[in-house]
Amino acid sequence: MFVATNSLGRIFAGLWKQGLLKRNKEGKTAASTVSDWLRGNYNEYIGILKTQLKHSEAAIQVAALKLLMQAVVHEGENMSKSSGSYEFPNSLYLSILELILDGSEASDHLLRTLADSYLNLYDDLRYYFYRDVAKIASPDYDPFKSGKSGARTKSLVEEAESFVRNTFAVMGMIKVVPTAKEYTAFWVNAVSPTGDENSVSNAAAHRKAFSEAWVAFLRQPLTAEIYKQVLLSMHRRIIPHMVDATGLMDFLSTAYDAGGSISLLALNGLFTLIDQYNLNYPQFYEKLYALFDRNLLHVKYRARFFRLFELFLGSSHLPAYLVAAFIKRIARLAISATPSGAVTAIPVIYNLLKAHPSCMVLIHRMPGYEGEESVDAESDPYLADEADPAKCNALSSSLWELETLQHHYYPNIATLANIFSEPFHKPKFQLEDFLDHTYSTFFDGDTARTPKKAPALAVQPPTALLRTGDAISDFLVL
């Protein structure tokens, strides 16, 4: 099969170069009859290659893609020479992309080849890829009006799932971002494109195509896993290269309101919009406070969250009641957290108290301190179930939870918590030193430590094989 299609590809390439496949506008002549016949066979050949894109074997899919991309070159060169200006055969290219992106049969090898061998190397292919993704993802797009042949074989839901999965995979493999001032690497290069604002060589046009593709893609019904992957890379790979990043506000706001790990991952992108694009997000801190539930210190995104959290509460202009509410909530969570969660919470609390001295009253009310009326667990006015940090009475409470942590079963946690019983003369903790601890790192650290003296054992070493009085010794008397 491969040998036959490859041979046909070389034949049709020769026919394109001779000009025998271009449409004849001179009326019905012998030459036009031959040209129409050849073009009909060429279209049938293209249809066979498109069918092979759905083949079960990845090698055949990749071979078909390479032959189809050669056809894109030949058609583009013919169109450009005929018009005298740069032309791209997007009708053929769009149909190829649609079969790949909508196809549940598309293999990882096929998607990787599309990205690495074409989109990462050629600016025109990447530019039209983004434009076509935006077109396919638009709600009013009709694939059958674009020239897609054959009856629909899958439901719209199945096609949407395949499109989301395959498109995200390809877009994630594209390493080239639209930062260049001009683009000159073209797959179809018979005639150099002009430099106007809609040209394939124009930097602004590339950024616009990139932006429209991502905005259209994010409107699709994303799976939970892809949703998380998009949010993980949003602030690095998408927002900096958008024409208007504020177009992502609705997507990020919806993600932040979703709760759970989705909200944690949305924070990075949302903070970028707030910090760099002046996004005004109402009740930001109230919703941030709601993220501090009993699952927070157990999720795998904990380290990422606390890196951002330190930025959010770094301003000295925040009201004392708000900072106190976060301190109190973190302390309450720490007493039921794993050692890795507690060892993160203690430095966070210490740094917040150092940055906001008005909250030191929470320390002064701890049991055992003098000068303030102590507040213990029984008399604590803090309302743990109150969603509004302004109404939870945190500033009237104490950090009795830290005294509890000073008696933690894991000695390292107890030692770390004892810092709150000392004067606050030490500098802020470097939070990075505490974010990536796990049971494994604790175990490795404890087993690697050389004890200063041998631990006391309540075992009396034996002086003989058998001791007098043992039941078995009576049977072995000679």
Side-chain angles (χ1 to χ4, degrees):
M1 181 186 298
F2 171 75
V3 175
T5 53
N6 199 40
S7 299
L8 285 172
R10 289 197 297 270
I11 292 172
F12 285 116
L15 293 174
W16 274 115
K17 290 180 180 179
Q18 297 175 39
L20 296 176
L21 287 175
K22 64 180 181 181
R23 290 183 175 86
N24 198 325
K25 300 179 180 180
E26 297 178 357
K28 195 68 173 177
T29 63
S32 67
T33 302
V34 173
S35 178
D36 291 343
W37 178 80
L38 289 174
R39 195 166 185 87
N41 283 277
Y42 171 75
N43 291 334
E44 186 176 350
Y45 164 72
I46 294 297
I48 293 172
L49 291 179
K50 290 179 179 179
T51 302
Q52 291 179 359
L53 286 176
K54 299 182 178 182
H55 200 278
S56 58
E57 293 187 21
I60 294 179
Q61 293 179 0
V62 171
L65 173 63
K66 292 180 177 179
L67 291 171
L68 284 168
M69 295 308 293
Q70 288 297 323
V72 170
V73 171
H74 300 314
E75 288 199 21
E77 290 177 348
N78 180 70
M79 292 168 59
S80 298
K81 290 177 182 178
S82 298
S83 65
S85 61
Y86 181 84
E87 297 286 345
F88 186 87
N90 195 43
S91 177
L92 173 60
Y93 188 55
L94 172 61
S95 65
I96 296 169
L97 291 179
E98 189 177 3
L99 286 167
I100 295 174
L101 300 180
D102 278 347
S104 58
E105 309 88 354
S107 63
D108 293 340
H109 189 21
L110 176 65
L111 301 178
R112 173 67 65 181
T113 302
L114 174 63
D116 290 348
S117 299
Y118 298 103
L119 302 182
N120 280 324
L121 299 180
Y122 300 101
D123 298 327
D124 53 348
L125 295 181
R126 186 170 59 256
Y127 170 74
Y128 282 100
F129 170 81
Y130 284 132
R131 287 188 54 179
D132 292 342
V133 165
K135 183 181 294 186
I136 298 171
S138 64
D140 56 348
Y141 177 67
D142 185 351
F144 295 97
K145 287 183 179 179
S146 69
K148 185 175 181 179
S149 59
R152 186 183 298 277
T153 57
K154 296 182 294 184
S155 69
L156 290 173
V157 174
E158 289 176 318
E159 284 198 356
E161 291 176 353
S162 299
F163 174 77
V164 167
R165 180 180 63 254
N166 295 337
T167 302
F168 180 70
V170 175
M171 292 173 81
M173 295 176 195
I174 298 177
K175 307 302 180 186
V176 182
V177 292
T179 56
K181 294 183 179 179
E182 62 178 10
Y183 296 89
T184 57
F186 301 121
W187 181 247
V188 178
N189 55 7
V191 178
S192 298
T194 60
D196 62 63
E197 61 180 13
N198 295 316
S199 169
V200 70
S201 63
N202 183 272
H206 277 260
R207 290 194 68 191
K208 180 181 179 182
F210 175 90
S211 301
E212 291 176 348
W214 272 109
V215 170
F217 175 77
L218 295 177
R219 294 195 185 106
Q220 303 303 302
L222 307 182
T223 63
E225 184 59 31
I226 290 180
Y227 208 151
K228 293 178 181 179
Q229 292 297 320
V230 168
L231 293 172
L232 276 170
S233 59
M234 177 74 72
H235 66 290
R236 297 190 315 271
R237 288 181 49 83
I238 303 175
I239 292 178
H241 311 298
M242 297 286 289
V243 172
D244 182 13
T246 56
L248 300 173
M249 286 182 181
D250 290 342
F251 176 80
L252 288 170
S253 298
T254 302
Y256 188 50
D257 294 340
S261 60
I262 296 293
S263 294
L264 300 184
L265 295 175
L267 272 175
N268 234 331
L270 196 60
F271 175 71
T272 302
L273 293 183
I274 293 173
D275 182 51
Q276 300 179 19
Y277 298 91
N278 300 318
L279 168 65
N280 183 21
Y281 191 89
Q283 297 183 322
F284 175 79
Y285 285 100
E286 287 81 353
K287 293 180 180 179
L288 180 64
Y289 183 72
L291 295 180
F292 282 83
D293 56 21
R294 62 181 182 178
N295 298 317
L296 176 64
L297 295 178
H298 300 268
V299 297
K300 66 179 181 179
Y301 305 113
R302 180 184 66 224
R304 179 190 181 96
F305 173 79
F306 277 106
R307 289 186 184 99
L308 286 171
F309 176 72
E310 195 172 36
L311 292 174
F312 296 150
L313 268 72
S315 173
S316 58
H317 301 292
L318 294 175
Y321 77 84
L322 180 65
V323 179
F326 281 103
I327 292 174
K328 184 65 179 177
R329 177 65 69 90
I330 296 170
R332 183 64 61 88
L333 294 175
I335 59 177
S336 60
T338 62
S340 59
V343 82
T344 300
I346 292 172
V348 170
I349 294 173
Y350 185 86
N351 289 352
L352 288 175
L353 290 171
K354 288 280 289 185
H356 302 275
S358 58
C359 295
M360 287 296 293
V361 65
L362 299 177
I363 291 287
H364 299 155
R365 293 200 192 102
M366 284 174 58
Y369 277 76
E370 297 180 358
E372 290 276 352
E373 182 179 353
S374 65
V375 177
D376 56 19
E378 295 181 358
S379 60
D380 192 353
Y382 174 68
L383 304 176
D385 296 329
E386 174 58 54
D388 188 349
K391 300 177 181 179
C392 66
N393 298 330
L395 205 55
S396 302
S397 180
S398 76
L399 292 178
W400 58 264
E401 295 90 350
L402 297 179
E403 185 191 26
T404 302
L405 290 175
Q406 291 172 354
H407 302 89
H408 199 276
Y409 70 87
Y410 185 50
N412 289 3
I413 301 297
T415 301
L416 185 61
N418 281 330
I419 195 173
F420 295 101
S421 298
E422 303 171 2
F424 270 56
H425 298 323
K426 294 184 178 180
K428 291 176 62 176
F429 285 104
Q430 292 297 322
L431 201 56
E432 286 294 329
D433 297 337
F434 300 90
L435 292 178
D436 297 318
H437 279 295
T438 62
Y439 280 115
S440 178
T441 60
F442 286 136
F443 181 81
D444 292 342
D446 289 340
T447 54
R449 187 182 301 116
T450 302
K452 295 180 179 179
K453 60 179 181 179
L457 300 176
V459 177
Q460 182 178 359
T463 57
L465 179 62
L466 300 174
R467 290 181 294 181
T468 304
D470 286 347
I472 194 173
S473 62
D474 295 337
F475 297 99
L476 299 177
V477 175
L478 298 175

